Amino acid sequence: MSPKYSNGIGFLFCLVLLVVIFGMASAQLSSETFYATTCGSALSTIKSAVNSAVSKERRMGASLLRLHFHDCFVNGCDASILLDDTSSFTGEKTARPNSNSVRGFEVIDTIKSQLESSCPGVVSCADIVAVAARDSVVALGGSRWSVNLGRRDSTTASLTTANSDIPGPALDLSALITAFSNKGFTANEMVALSGSHTIGQARCTTFRTRIYNETNIDSTFATSTRSKCPSTGGDNNLSPLDVTSPNAFDNAYFKNLVSKKGLLHSDQQLFSGGSTDSQVNAYSTNLQTFKTDFANAMMKMGKLSPLTGSNGQIRTNCRKTN
């Protein structure tokens, strides 16, 4: 082999190696300082808008947290859930877990509009959703966690995956463990993330069967909840997931489970004689342990299959592709 040819092979090998190394690096999210030089006001803008929205309606904090969860569980944290349907495209908003249920889109729109004015084409919708979820929890009394940044936005969405991968309110414990395991979470992390139900509300249609037909439920709680959810009709009537303190990010949700006052079937499954009972007991008696575990699990969730580097795009309008 001639030296010239040999050098060419060497150069090609180095080039391939650089591509591999860069590809690995670009697949990782960066620290919370990601926008420090390109849009220094990004985090303060998001926090201000979230605090404003939550002060007007406490439930919005839970809605923004849920928006992030329902985004990440469908092909990763890529803002696919924000895409509106078009004549040639069906997004995730009409999926069973999302239809007439997921909300907070207008808050994300407001934040995006503000950031497009101050630093156009820089901050992704996916990062906005992730930071807004964290700031919502903090606004309602929960722990702050560091949100890794650098996500880019998808150009597609999946109605099918939204219908199949987002855990539903009728799941038994084994199915819940499987659904979260499929996304890389342990059973303990699943219990911690379920603690997000210490805030927010649910529609009658999601808990009617439990309050009328199940036996592992406090009778007084069942009776009072039936007044908000008739056996027929009133599907969209709301009831708090945590009847004790629905607007405070605390551990009352777990205390309620121990007292058989879980609103959803899937909630009470976490404390029903199964493998997660001890974890629920621990969180019901130690608020700080729950807050710490929840924050760590949320950091992990925010890293689910992000689009980074040159993948995806930075949408100008979160509801549609560029």
Side-chain angles (χ1 to χ4, degrees), residues 222-260:
T223 300
S224 64
T225 308
R226 287 171 188 164
S227 67
K228 306 172 187 176
C229 180
S231 56
T232 56
D235 284 0
N236 292 321
N237 292 358
L238 297 173
S239 189
L241 288 158
D242 166 8
V243 70
T244 308
S245 50
N247 292 317
F249 199 91
D250 54 23
N251 62 341
Y253 166 80
F254 296 104
K255 294 178 180 180
N256 292 338
L257 296 185
V258 173
S259 301
K260 297 185 179 181

Side-chain angles (χ1 to χ4, degrees), residues 62-84:
S63 297
L64 291 171
L65 174 59
R66 187 164 178 256
L67 192 64
H68 180 43
F69 174 77
H70 282 221
D71 179 35
C72 293
F73 257 59
V74 183
N75 299 325
C77 310
D78 59 3
S80 59
I81 195 171
L82 304 180
L83 291 172
D84 283 340

